Amino acid sequence: MMLDLNLLPLFLAVAEEQSFAAAARRLGVTRSAVSQGVQRLENACGIALVVRTTRSVRLTESGTRLLAMLGRPMADIGAALEDLGGDIRPAGHLKIAVTSIADAFLSGPLLGSFAEAHPDITIDVTVTDETWDIVSRGFDAGVRLGEVIEKDMVAIPLTGAQCEAVVASPAYLARHGVPQHPKELAQHRCIGWRPAPDEVPAPWEFEEDGRSFDVAITPQITTNDLRLMLRMALAGAGLTYAVRETFEPYLESGELVSVLDGYLKPYPGFYLYFPNRRNMAPKLRALVDHVQRYRRDQCKG
């Protein structure tokens, strides 16, 4: 591999400063020169070394390896760069941040089949509803609802459109009645969800005559655990609200009943998202390809 070794100081400055602008100031060149130089280095290696967004910069696994190798004699660096681009086999540690309500990803089949197909990839899934910057926190990808993904991310569909549902057990509805309009929720015991301990319960969103509106419920039970919400609803503790697919098996069995369906409209579903499609690491490319195949198979089924 023919490589311009003058590109290495550009990469080293970016790695140490964690900023293209700061690296440019340190080297006395333009930010564009640094960015283009690092891009040429990545193209020569055939793999991404730096992940950049409008908010942060971090090294990929390959970039971290290269940074460690730069302390060796320059003759060894050439061999190291050959090694970076030579193995396109999907392998390594894949970190994914997933919202707790992404049942299509967390239920098991998609992730299980990916692990089976790629035994050389270790998978670390963090389930969180905090609004993390996945790049600065060291994640390769995330799974969230499409409407809350940052615009500078690449996003591919994981599910079709989703719809919320308000559900309760038949026993609860027999005791307390069936609400006919969202405004009647104030008269009911509700099980609410909050993303973090210091945040208020999320409002329940509805639509009537083409107008969207929220109902700020006062839950008797509040949690950040979707499974607890489900268990409490099954136990007859009250009405709860979440993505309909979470409740589908229990709606089909009759253990839960949905209400207020006429006030709930579809919205964009869940997406796998990541910061950069160019020179994608083989482990991430493998996940993207697997999600796309899985999604096609689900649509056919």
Side-chain angles (χ1 to χ4, degrees), residues 76-220:
D76 291 341
I77 293 175
L81 292 171
E82 289 284 354
D83 180 65
L84 283 175
D87 185 6
I88 60 173
R89 175 178 52 88
H93 193 58
L94 189 64
K95 294 185 65 178
I96 313 168
V98 184
T99 176
S100 67
I101 61 174
D103 192 64
F105 190 89
L106 296 173
S107 60
L110 187 156
L111 199 56
S113 59
F114 176 74
E116 177 72 20
H118 300 284
D120 294 324
I121 298 178
T122 58
I123 307 161
D124 185 336
V125 177
T126 295
V127 180
T128 177
D129 293 301
E130 296 185 61
T131 54
W132 284 352
D133 172 7
I134 60 171
V135 173
S136 66
R137 298 297 288 263
F139 289 90
D140 298 289
V143 175
R144 296 178 71 184
L145 288 170
E147 60 190 14
V148 296
I149 295 174
E150 294 84 355
K151 299 302 183 184
D152 59 351
M153 292 287 171
V154 179
I156 63 170
L158 182 64
T159 70
Q162 299 289 299
C163 188
E164 302 291 337
V166 178
V167 302
S169 69
Y172 173 85
L173 296 174
R175 291 195 309 271
H176 299 279
V178 178
Q180 301 300 314
H181 191 277
K183 65 184 179 182
E184 296 177 19
L185 291 171
Q187 304 163 20
H188 282 266
R189 292 160 55 192
C190 294
I191 304 160
W193 178 84
R194 54 166 171 70
D198 57 348
E199 297 190 27
V200 299
W204 296 8
E205 300 176 352
F206 300 95
E207 183 174 314
E208 184 177 22
D209 299 328
R211 180 182 62 86
S212 299
F213 64 98
D214 295 344
V215 174
I217 60 164
T218 304
Q220 183 178 19

Side-chain angles (χ1 to χ4, degrees), residues 224-271:
N224 67 336
D225 188 339
L226 187 62
R227 292 167 305 213
L228 179 59
M229 294 165 57
L230 174 60
R231 289 195 291 267
M232 290 296 96
L234 289 168
L239 293 154
T240 196
Y241 171 96
V243 178
R244 189 177 185 90
E245 69 177 19
T246 302
F247 304 127
E248 283 292 357
Y250 307 95
L251 294 172
E252 291 175 3
S253 69
E255 294 173 87
L256 292 175
V257 177
S258 64
V259 300
L260 303 175
D261 290 349
Y263 298 94
L264 296 160
K265 301 301 180 183
Y267 55 86
F270 292 97
Y271 287 73

Side-chain angles (χ1 to χ4, degrees), residues 18 46 68 86 102 145 247 249 259 272 275 293 299:
Q18 296 187 1
L145 288 170
F247 304 127
V259 300
L272 174 74
R293 284 194 300 270
C299 291

